[in-house]
Amino acid sequence: MASKVSFSSEIDDISIHDTESGYASGSSSGESLPEITFTKAHLAFLNRQLQFLEPQEILRWCITTLPNLYQTTAFGLTGLTILDMLSKMRIPRPQMVDLIFLDTLHHFPETLALVDHVRSKYPLVNLHVYKPEQVETAEEFAQRHGERLWEANDELYDWVAKVEPAGRAYRELSVAAVLTGRRRSQGGKRGDLNVIEIDEAGLIKVNPLANWSFQQVQDYVKENNVPYNALLDRGYRSVGDWHSTQPIKAGEDERAGRWKGQQKTECGIHNPRSKFAQYLREQELKQQEKALQEAMGKLEVVS
């Protein structure tokens, strides 16, 4: 029997209805989104079929199948490749895929310059920029959260700079599915990446270039004159925040320059919920339980 997955603007308001299917169903008082019905077997079938398709074919399937589809990008080579492919597909305006960029306030100047270049080269694409809550600059971030938070508490940094802004973006934009630039050839936890995933919050994540190598992506960028980060010409391969990104050496994994010397290969966005996020969720559930008990107590008094 199929398990229905109702995607809503409240990605944190999740209850599991079918543990066998592995999917979560969200509910919201906000705008109702079309229901997408999957079973675990159906998802496995789709992944088997889609892995044999070219990225452009996967993208077309996404556009015609998945409502409220967005692309999340930090403007790495793969994300830029996806953006360029979409721009050449002559998609009608209502079906165009908007971009979501998380400005952590700690990006390299080269990355921010690239964002401006992308805006000018792809003027029809809507770009939604989300920053950490209640701050606009790195100086304000340090004043609010302390100096070098990424060293003092890296999980809290990931939450404040990336996870919370991403969740806010998904809620405000009613995101049901996202395109990501992750690939198996990037190594680490991405080595067994599927084309389609559903995370613990019920969000569909599609990795159209999961099967491509770095060389294939680089060839596409050169052949199609796609703008890219100037840091890639200086030995960098995967570019994130300036404080956690270094150039790599010959023979190292593509993402070896991220969080070098740490037992870490992903930020909180693509990890299962961090301990800090779990803590916040537990606190929220406790508050909900307390409110429910108080309401039940009032009903007993009235009766």
Side-chain angles (χ1 to χ4, degrees), residues 15-242:
S15 59
I16 304 297
H17 290 289
D18 185 349
T19 55
E20 173 59 27
S21 72
Y23 307 128
S25 176
S27 59
S28 170
S29 59
E31 181 182 356
S32 177
L33 300 180
E35 281 191 343
I36 304 173
T37 303
F38 282 120
T39 64
K40 192 172 183 179
H42 186 197
L43 184 62
F45 171 81
L46 288 174
N47 274 312
R48 285 196 302 270
Q49 299 303 310
L50 292 176
Q51 70 175 330
F52 297 112
L53 300 183
E54 291 298 319
Q56 292 91 336
E57 296 173 305
I58 295 174
L59 290 171
R60 193 166 294 282
W61 177 85
C62 290
I63 292 166
T64 57
T65 306
L66 303 175
N68 292 65
L69 175 67
Y70 286 76
Q71 179 184 355
T72 58
T73 183
F75 296 99
L77 274 191
T78 313
L80 292 164
T81 297
I82 292 171
L83 171 60
D84 190 77
M85 288 177 174
L86 287 169
S87 74
K88 292 177 166 61
M89 293 173 68
R90 297 181 181 178
I91 304 168
R93 165 60 70 177
Q95 292 178 286
M96 288 187 70
V97 180
D98 287 5
L99 298 180
I100 298 173
F101 171 57
L102 303 180
D103 184 355
T104 65
L105 305 176
H106 298 88
H107 285 292
F108 287 95
E110 290 86 349
T111 301
L112 300 179
L114 174 61
V115 175
D116 292 336
H117 191 175
V118 168
R119 286 181 189 271
S120 63
K121 184 173 176 65
Y122 306 99
L124 297 180
V125 177
N126 291 326
L127 175 62
H128 305 271
V129 179
Y130 279 79
K131 297 180 180 181
E133 203 166 27
Q134 299 182 1
V135 293
E136 289 292 324
T137 66
E139 291 74 20
E140 290 179 3
F141 186 97
Q143 290 172 3
R144 183 175 178 82
H145 300 289
E147 294 287 343
R148 306 181 76 84
L149 178 61
W150 54 90
E151 292 180 353
N153 189 333
D154 67 325
E155 285 193 345
L156 178 56
Y157 175 80
D158 281 350
W159 172 262
V160 171
K162 303 172 186 179
V163 180
E164 188 284 324
R168 186 163 17 104
Y170 298 160
R171 289 193 300 272
E172 293 180 1
L173 300 173
S174 297
V175 177
V178 294
L179 303 172
T180 87
R182 293 177 297 158
R183 292 178 284 106
R184 295 189 187 107
S185 62
Q186 290 172 320
K189 293 182 179 180
R190 302 184 179 190
D192 57 354
L193 194 68
N194 283 320
V195 175
I196 309 177
E197 306 168 296
I198 300 182
D199 73 9
E200 75 286 347
L203 180 72
I204 296 177
K205 293 183 177 181
V206 184
N207 312 301
L209 274 71
N211 294 325
W212 272 28
S213 66
F214 179 81
Q215 189 62 53
Q216 286 177 291
V217 176
Q218 195 171 43
D219 290 345
Y220 180 95
V221 167
K222 290 179 179 179
E223 292 167 6
N224 292 273
N225 195 29
V226 178
Y228 63 90
N229 199 316
L231 292 172
L232 297 184
D233 293 330
R234 303 176 207 164
Y236 292 81
R237 283 294 175 265
S238 177
V239 180
D241 290 337
W242 62 262

